[in-house]
Amino acid sequence: MSIPHGMIGIRHVALFIKELESAVDFYTRVVGMQIEWQPDPDNVYLTNHGDVFALHRVSYTPDPMQRLDHIGFVLTDAQAVDDWYAHMVAHDVRITEAPKSHRDGSRGFYCLDSVGHLLEFIYHPPIAQQLRQK
């Protein structure tokens, strides 16, 4: 079976954070990222005009060895999301959330890799548009 088209690369990482305000301050002030979207007080999406770095507030203590929420693989368009979903299903990959469209115009799905990491395959319009302009 051939690999579907449309993979751009790993341009999105999301982390669980207890001290969200401190993390936002560090990544904006020290690292130079900008807030792309903050849908609510517990979720902030930062960007460096090419990547999306999501911070999600949690109220529990995560395992000290695991603070990663998921790894996002950005795709070129919404159709690529559906193609990759079919590809994963055909390879018996465990799907945790079927493809859906989000409020910000993105479309994606979630699955687990072979050792249990949560992966997101997502079309994120700002990244796709930026790459088309290059």
Side-chain angles (χ1 to χ4, degrees):
M1 177 177 253
S2 65
I3 301 296
H5 80 288
M7 175 67 70
I8 293 172
I10 300 173
R11 298 279 182 127
H12 170 60
V13 173
L15 299 178
F16 291 135
I17 302 288
K18 285 185 85 168
E19 299 83 17
L20 185 65
E21 291 79 8
S22 175
V24 170
D25 175 66
F26 175 82
Y27 284 105
T28 56
R29 187 176 52 79
V30 177
V31 179
M33 299 187 90
Q34 294 83 42
I35 295 175
E36 179 181 82
W37 186 44
Q38 186 168 5
D40 56 62
D42 296 323
N43 297 282
V44 178
Y45 297 83
L46 304 172
T47 184
N48 62 0
H49 304 294
D51 298 312
V52 175
F53 186 59
L55 304 175
H56 304 295
R57 184 189 318 269
V58 294
S59 59
Y60 65 91
T61 302
D63 181 325
M65 299 300 291
Q66 174 60 286
R67 294 189 180 270
L68 182 68
D69 177 6
H70 66 272
I71 300 169
F73 292 87
V74 176
L75 304 173
T76 54
D77 53 61
Q79 182 58 53
V81 171
D82 296 331
D83 294 345
W84 276 96
Y85 175 75
H87 178 74
M88 294 299 182
V89 168
H91 283 84
D92 297 320
V93 172
R94 183 172 169 206
I95 304 297
T96 61
E97 187 176 323
K100 73 174 188 178
S101 296
H102 303 279
R103 298 175 289 185
D104 64 350
S106 63
R107 180 170 174 74
F109 72 93
Y110 292 88
C111 63
L112 297 177
D113 72 8
S114 61
V115 294
H117 292 109
L118 184 62
L119 306 179
E120 179 182 30
F121 286 78
I122 187 165
Y123 161 61
H124 186 73
I127 292 174
Q129 178 182 9
Q130 218 170 43
L131 291 173
R132 282 192 294 270
Q133 292 173 353
K134 290 183 178 182

